[in-house]
Amino acid sequence: MAPRQLIRAVRRCVRGAWIGLCVGLAWSGVAIGCTVSAHQTTQMPESLSNLWPGRGGSLAWYDGPTTRYAHGVLGDTIEATQLHAYSEGARTLCGQQSFVLPDELVFEDTAPRLVDLNSDGLPEIVVVQSHQRLGAQLAIYEIPSNGEALRQIAATPFIGRPNRWLAPIGAADLDGDGAVEIAYIDRPHLARILRVWRLVDGVMVEIATLEGLTNHRIGEDFITGGLRNCGDGAEMITANSDWSQVMATRLTGGTLQTRALGRFSADAITSALACAP
């Protein structure tokens, strides 16, 4: 197991979430005649998403480890080539729907994210995938309700050069207008640009950008910060460009407004995400 795989697996087991998912889905049987839940066979168990809390019972994960894209931004050069999801409507024996990338692409990511982007009560899958010549992009995959294979339905443009990456912050209704936005840091080690996108009629549309923020350091197997809502709307929690301050950023009227919460530390990020003073 690669270093970041071992670390993430241990972290999930300590939290108890991963064990609960495995036991819960295995107990449910997933499908009559299925003796092993599909997600239990992955070579990349650290990539299990959170279990979708609504209808459909969805779960997503990566598999098919490869070294064909030797960037190593997350601490090793092992990336995924397969995206899988469990859903109750899948036509396969174990309820698994899948997508395999072509040779020029990998999933250069920590784990897929389940997000309802079109307010139909069912999740889409948000991933980071990277091209051998063009670098990273954020992509959206659909879990077809008819149980057929996963399919990509939208994506941001590739950054444009190999070994150029983006680090997701999260997805939520960031400005309170009822639509879901997706935020990430474009090139967190170089450009350090916060970008916010929205899926509109099957196309990713950029809503706002702001320079001077970051959420990842080269070699770390995790992304720092995320989203919070302390009762007055969603905020994006990151670091500033030199990692000296914890930053909270809001999307208001199509504009990103940011402020410092205090000196940066891992504990300060945890406190910020928990809305602690």
Side-chain angles (χ1 to χ4, degrees), residues 2 33 124-125 215 219 233 250 264:
E124 285 71 47
I125 308 175
N215 61 348
R250 290 180 178 269
F264 176 85

Side-chain angles (χ1 to χ4, degrees), residues 18-19 21-27 30 34-43 45 48 59 61 63 96:
W18 181 43
I19 292 176
L21 289 174
C22 293
V23 172
L25 287 176
W27 176 82
V30 181
C34 180
T35 58
V36 178
S37 299
H39 69 282
Q40 291 179 300
T41 66
T42 178
Q43 298 179 70
L48 285 171
L59 178 72
W61 64 94
D63 206 347
Q96 177 177 325

Side-chain angles (χ1 to χ4, degrees), residues 151-235:
R151 58 175 175 258
Q152 182 179 312
I153 58 171
T156 64
F158 289 106
I159 291 173
R161 294 182 59 184
N163 299 336
R164 297 295 184 266
W165 187 63
L166 62 88
I169 297 172
D173 180 2
L174 297 178
D175 56 3
D177 68 350
V180 175
E181 289 81 30
I182 309 172
Y184 66 75
I185 300 293
D186 174 5
R187 292 160 291 173
H189 324 113
L190 295 170
R192 301 181 179 91
I193 301 173
L194 169 59
R195 297 189 183 275
V196 178
W197 297 76
R198 184 182 297 152
L199 182 63
V200 180
D201 296 328
V203 178
M204 294 297 289
V205 177
E206 191 168 49
I207 303 301
T209 66
L210 181 66
E211 297 183 1
L213 300 171
T214 189
N215 61 348
H216 186 263
R217 289 180 279 206
I218 293 175
E220 291 182 339
D221 68 344
F222 59 91
I223 295 169
T224 295
L227 297 180
R228 75 174 188 180
N229 190 328
C230 300
D232 55 353
E235 290 184 304

Side-chain angles (χ1 to χ4, degrees), residues 11 27 32 35 50 73 83 94 143 149 156 184 238 252-253:
R11 185 181 297 125
W27 176 82
I32 295 174
T35 58
N50 291 327
V73 72
L83 175 64
C94 292
I143 307 174
T156 64
Y184 66 75
T238 65
T252 304

Side-chain angles (χ1 to χ4, degrees), residues 133-149:
R133 300 187 312 277
L134 302 174
Q137 67 177 172
L138 193 83
I140 312 300
Y141 285 79
E142 180 183 44
I143 307 174
S145 59
N146 62 7
E148 294 181 350

